[in-house]
């Protein structure tokens, strides 16, 4: 087996880090730590994108990396911090399923994701193709996190982390999406978080809590 | 040397002017005086200008232009040819009169502020004009939807009343179902080339099966807008809901854009016509006409009555289009041209007299706050202007010579009666039955109009409050007078109109009406020895007979007037409630056509000391089509409702499982 160039090994390392962070987020029960983990994930993503840009000479990826850094490492965590302080939510959040079971389901998902990515990786011609499985696993783990959390803010973090996974998948499969699309997605995420912030206030106003169980009353009928 | 600007530039200028007026309306949101005294009259002036420019353009060769608007690489194409120009004349002329009326009509109310009405109204006008000149499917659909939305907001002007919101929703729903059909129709018409300009569609040669699909999609889509059975249900709901000038604009002009679309697709964009399309359109049109007029006879709300009457007129127009297709398919271009002339003429006539009547009901509504025929009556004494001008419209819509309604119906009947030349005996029989049905519809329309006019304007007031009714203001009178004058002129000088229609006929069926067009005095589409009509002579004879009779009566009868108590039937006291009511007048028609109606009737018991009799005829199509669809949707929704848990994690799990399953199966 031919040895990979150094930058590719770095990317693989960062990919592994991403996956590890995803698992950590799945297991983390405290909201503030969750945000820190999310910021760390963003940092890993920005670093890996920058390295891909350096290694392959795709200069527009530098822009993506910068955007990711600003948006996902600084801006979004800051917004979320402020939200939490204003909303004065509890630190500890209970999941729907206990942590060990969640982790086990997560492992199954990772296996599935690697299985899925294997044929695609063979078709792709990029150096980073091996990391596609990890990217897909990140998407699925984030989705799992959204499902298992009961409170609104962890769900939003899950949503944002899913976007991280998608971004990573795009970078590893095709060296990133066109700049216009990336800018559009970045804007979408930002606007989405702002709107969700408004929703948080409304939900809390209505139910005195951010627990989404209260929303079950909104069901039609009965 | 300065060249005169070409017609596309003029039409686009008119559209821009309307949009500008609309924008000014937004700027002057609550300044009622400015909006009604400056903006609406300005809109009317633009309408007149558009009508004149378009009238000149009918005879000119088609003009095309590409606008720098639209999506990148997908600009709007516009084209003004004889057909567009003819309908632009209709839009401009009727629109101008309606705008002038609106200047005196809109008052401050609970609903939409006047500036916003002005904006919606002028966007509506501009969108209709743009529909008529659009030359690619994209521009057409954008304008078509803008038209639907603007008219929706106008219908729901009094949006604080729940029934009006419901009526508006029904209209919007059916408009969108129709728009989908039109979109699909264009999809078929482009024939796989991917080029959605009308020019490309004209060049495509579709196989007969696909051409039929396109035609019936167009018939369905444009039929939904026009009010063809069974998609007519929105008309009798939306018209009573909308302010009267809006009803006039929708019924008089907007329905005609659907007729324009149908003609454009059937004769211009499709390169062939099959005889059975014509037979189906003919039958559908006549069923619609009969249905509309029978229901009009049963109505007790004056605007609903006029709405059903619009359905009838649209039915007649579509029947004429069917006949034209039939002749075109059998390669008889002269007959096709005459049928088409009748169609186009009737469209113009309907724009005039139906706008006139809707506006007159608006004046009555403002003066009396009453829409129900049961509480009106005797208004000819209180509102002589409105009453006499409405009389012209009533006679015209009833199809009496020498007014315009007679000319187009006579022409259409002529086209029907000269069919024995068709090669298929089956079609020959169908056409003669259709001619009989057309005559029946026309006669019933006259009956309906006697009811409408008699109950509203004649007799004695049914309510004491009617004594305070005031005649319409000067703006409203002027607009009504202009429309009435239009009805008279279109009726007396048919030769001019038919001559102007020649280029349209040449464009659509490749043949002109020939010598019938040339003569301004005598109308004889098949030669003078077979049948002919001269409106001028009829008018002269009518006027002469009336004058002579008046003289004779005045001279010989008035000398020996006896003064005595009228025959009082044993009732020394007569109250207004003894007059024939709207229900009573429509009763014979209800009896004869009983199976068409679903009537809810309440008969009081003989011992009731406060007896009340009421009956409610309802539209059977609700029960035949709409309610079953609604019930099916509810039934299906109950099953879908089972998976609605109310928990976000469950919903997320649904999408997650779907994602995993898709990934698993698709990989």
């Amino acid at each position: 087996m031919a040895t990979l160039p150094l930058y590719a090994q770095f990317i693989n390392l960062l990919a592994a880090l991403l996956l590890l962070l995803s698992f950590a987020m799945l297991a983390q029960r405290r909201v503030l730590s969750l945000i820190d983990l999310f910021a760390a994930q963003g940092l890993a993503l920005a670093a890996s994108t920058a390295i891909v840009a350096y290694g392959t000479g795709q200069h527009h990826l530098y822009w993506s990396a910068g955007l990711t850094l600003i948006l996902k490492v600084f801006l979004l965590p800051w917004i979320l911090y402020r939200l939490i302080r204003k909303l004065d939510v509890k630190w500890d959040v209970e999941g729907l399923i206990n942590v060990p079971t969640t982790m086990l389901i997560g492992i199954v998902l990772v296996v599935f994701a690697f299985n899925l990515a294997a044929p695609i990786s063979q078709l792709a011609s990029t150096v980073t193709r091996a990391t596609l499985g990890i990217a897909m696993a990140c998407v699925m783990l984030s989705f799992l996190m959204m499902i298992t959390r009961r409170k609104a803010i962890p769900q939003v973090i899950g949503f944002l982390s899913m976007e991280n996974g998608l971004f990573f998948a795009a970078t590893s499969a095709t060296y990133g999406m066109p700049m216009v699309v990336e800018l559009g997605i970045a804007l979408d995420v930002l606007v989405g978080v702002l709107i969700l912030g408004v929703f948080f206030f409304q939900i809390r106003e209505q139910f005195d809590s951010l627990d989404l169980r209260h929303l079950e009353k909104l069901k039609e009928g009965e | 040397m300065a060249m005169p600007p070409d017609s596309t530039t003029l039409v686009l200028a008119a559209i821009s002017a309307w949009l500008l007026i609309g924008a000014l309306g937004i700027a002057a949101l609550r300044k009622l005086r400015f909006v009604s005294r400056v903006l609406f009259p300005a809109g009317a002036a633009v309408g007149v200008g558009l009508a004149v420019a378009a009238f000149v353009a009918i005879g000119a060769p088609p003009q095309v232009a590409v606008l720098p608007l639209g999506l990148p690489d997908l600009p709007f194409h516009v084209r003004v040819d004889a057909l567009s120009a003819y309908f632009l004349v209709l839009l401009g002329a009727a629109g101008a009169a309606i705008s002038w009326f609106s200047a005196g009509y809109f008052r401050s109310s609970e609903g939409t502020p006047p500036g916003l009405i002005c904006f919606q109204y002028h966007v509506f006008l501009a969108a209709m004009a743009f529909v008529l000149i659009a030359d690619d499917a994209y521009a057409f659909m954008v304008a078509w939807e803008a038209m639907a939305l603007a008219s929706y907001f106008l219908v729901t002007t009094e949006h604080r009343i729940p029934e009006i919101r419901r009526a508006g929703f029904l209209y919007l729903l059916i408009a969108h179902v129709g728009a989908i059909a039109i979109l699909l129709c264009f999809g078929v018409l482009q024939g796989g080339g991917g080029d959605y300009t009308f020019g490309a569609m004209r060049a495509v040669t579709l196989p007969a099966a696909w051409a039929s699909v396109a035609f019936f999609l167009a018939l369905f889509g444009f039929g939904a807008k026009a009010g063809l059975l069974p998609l007519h249900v929105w008309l009798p709901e939306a018209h009573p809901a909308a302010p009267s000038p809006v009803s006039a604009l929708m019924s008089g002009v907007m329905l005609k854009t659907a007729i324009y679309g149908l003609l454009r697709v059937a004769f211009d964009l499709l390169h062939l016509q099959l005889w059975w399309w014509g037979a189906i359109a003919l039958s559908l049109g006549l069923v619609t006409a009969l249905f509309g007029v029978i229901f009009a006879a049963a109505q007790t709300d004056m605007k609903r009555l006029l709405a059903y009457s619009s359905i009838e007129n649209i039915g007649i127009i579509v029947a004429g289009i069917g006949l034209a297709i039939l002749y075109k398919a059998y390669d008889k271009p002269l007959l096709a041209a005459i049928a088409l002339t009748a169609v186009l003429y009737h469209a113009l006539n309907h724009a005039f007299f139906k706008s006139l009547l809707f506006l007159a009901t608006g004046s009555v509504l403002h003066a009396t706050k009453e829409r129900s025929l049961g509480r009106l009556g005797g208004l000819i004494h209180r509102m002589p202007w409105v009453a006499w001008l409405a009389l012209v419209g009533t006679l015209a819509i009833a199809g009496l010579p020498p007014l315009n309604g007679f000319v187009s119906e006579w022409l259409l009947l002529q086209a029907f009666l000269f069919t024995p030349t068709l090669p298929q005996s089956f079609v020959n029989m169908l056409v003669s039955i259709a001619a009989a049905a057309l005559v029946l519809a026309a006669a019933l329309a006259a009956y309906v109009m006697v009811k409408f006019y008699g109950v509203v304007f004649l007799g004695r007031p049914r309510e004491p409050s009617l004594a305070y009714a005031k005649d319409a203001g000067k703006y409203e009178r002027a607009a009504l007078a202009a429309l009435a004058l239009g009805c008279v002129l279109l009726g007396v000088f048919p030769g001019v109109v038919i001559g102007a229609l020649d280029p349209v006929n040449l464009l659509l069926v490749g043949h002109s009406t020939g010598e019938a067009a040339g003569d301004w005095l005598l109308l004889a589409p098949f030669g003078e020895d077979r049948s002919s009509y001269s409106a001028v002579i009829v008018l002269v004879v009518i006027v002469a007979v009336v004058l002579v009779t008046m003289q004779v009566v005045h001279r010989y009868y008035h000398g020996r007037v006896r003064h005595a108590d009228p025959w009082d039937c044993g009732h020394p006291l007569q109250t207004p409630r003894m007059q024939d009511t709207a229900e009573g007048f429509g009763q014979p028609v209800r009896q004869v056509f009983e199976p068409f109606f679903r009537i809810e009737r309440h008969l009081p018991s003989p011992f009731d000391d406060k007896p009340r009799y009421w009956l409610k005829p309802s539209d059977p199509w609700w029960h035949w089509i709409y309610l079953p669809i609604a019930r099916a949707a509810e039934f299906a929704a109950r099953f879908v409702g089972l998976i609605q848990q109310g928990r976000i994690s469950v919903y997320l799990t649904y999408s997650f499982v779907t994602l995993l399953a898709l990934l698993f199966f698709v990989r």
Side-chain angles (χ1 to χ4, degrees), chain A:
Chain A
M1 186 184 150
T3 45
L4 285 168
L6 189 64
Y7 74 90
Q9 291 185 26
F10 258 115
I11 291 169
N12 281 350
L13 176 69
L14 285 168
L17 209 59
L18 267 179
L19 189 61
L20 195 67
L21 284 167
S22 284
F23 268 105
M25 283 167 87
L26 205 54
Q28 182 55 257
R29 295 194 343 195
R30 295 173 58 167
V31 180
L32 286 180
S33 317
L34 210 51
I35 295 174
D36 291 340
L37 285 173
F38 170 71
Q41 203 184 32
L43 191 63
L45 188 64
S48 80
T49 313
I51 292 171
V52 171
Y54 169 76
T56 61
Q58 305 271 330
H59 289 288
H60 76 273
L61 282 179
Y62 281 123
W63 286 100
S64 305
L67 207 63
T68 311
L69 191 72
I70 295 168
L71 200 63
K72 289 179 182 149
V73 184
F74 298 110
L75 193 57
L76 286 177
W78 180 70
I79 291 176
L80 288 169
Y81 261 115
R82 271 191 33 173
L83 261 178
I84 286 169
R85 201 152 307 137
K86 275 202 183 158
L87 287 167
D88 196 23
V89 284
K90 281 214 200 112
W91 294 69
D92 212 16
V93 275
E94 195 71 25
L96 284 174
I97 314 171
N98 67 13
V99 174
T101 321
T102 319
M103 301 296 265
L104 284 177
I105 299 174
I107 289 168
V108 173
L109 284 177
V110 172
V111 172
F112 179 72
F114 269 88
N115 233 327
L116 208 63
I120 307 174
S121 309
Q122 273 161 15
L123 286 178
S125 54
T126 55
V127 233
T128 49
R129 60 181 180 266
T131 56
L132 189 62
I134 290 183
M136 296 188 81
C138 282
V139 172
M140 288 180 190
L141 290 175
S142 315
F143 214 140
L144 185 63
M145 182 174 127
M146 283 174 78
I147 292 174
T148 54
R149 296 311 165 98
R150 191 175 281 166
K151 297 282 164 70
I153 291 181
Q155 282 195 340
V156 171
I157 296 172
F159 171 74
L160 292 172
S161 138
M162 190 159 77
E163 206 273 322
N164 278 350
L166 278 176
F167 190 90
F168 191 60
T171 323
S172 55
T174 62
Y175 292 142
M177 292 169 271
M179 200 62 206
V180 185
V181 182
E182 256 170 43
L183 280 174
I185 292 178
L187 198 69
D188 274 358
V189 168
L190 193 62
V191 172
V193 168
L194 291 178
I195 292 175
L196 286 169
V198 175
F199 269 119
F200 290 159
F201 280 103
Q202 293 295 330
I203 291 172
R204 205 187 50 154
E205 194 113 316
Q206 208 71 35
F207 302 111
D208 275 336
S209 146
L210 275 179
D211 196 330
L212 293 176
R213 264 181 309 179
H214 296 291
L215 292 181
E216 286 173 28
K217 282 186 239 159
L218 300 180
K219 184 184 167 192
E220 198 187 347
E222 261 105 319

Side-chain angles (χ1 to χ4, degrees), chain B residues 141 144-145 174-185 221 224:
Chain B
M141 289 314 295
W144 187 259
E145 289 296 291
I174 292 185
H176 275 101
V177 170
I180 291 171
I182 296 170
L183 195 62
L184 291 176
C185 167

Side-chain angles (χ1 to χ4, degrees), chain B residues 420-471:
Chain B
T421 46
L422 289 182
Q424 271 201 6
S425 57
F426 161 68
V427 178
N428 268 331
M429 285 190 308
L430 175 77
V431 171
S432 47
I433 294 171
L438 179 72
V439 175
L440 178 61
L444 283 171
Y447 175 86
V448 168
M449 282 304 134
V450 170
K451 167 181 164 173
F452 170 77
Y453 196 78
V455 174
V456 174
F457 293 106
L458 304 182
R460 291 168 61 184
R462 288 179 174 76
E463 295 280 322
S465 62
L466 296 186
Y468 306 108
K470 281 211 185 69
D471 207 350

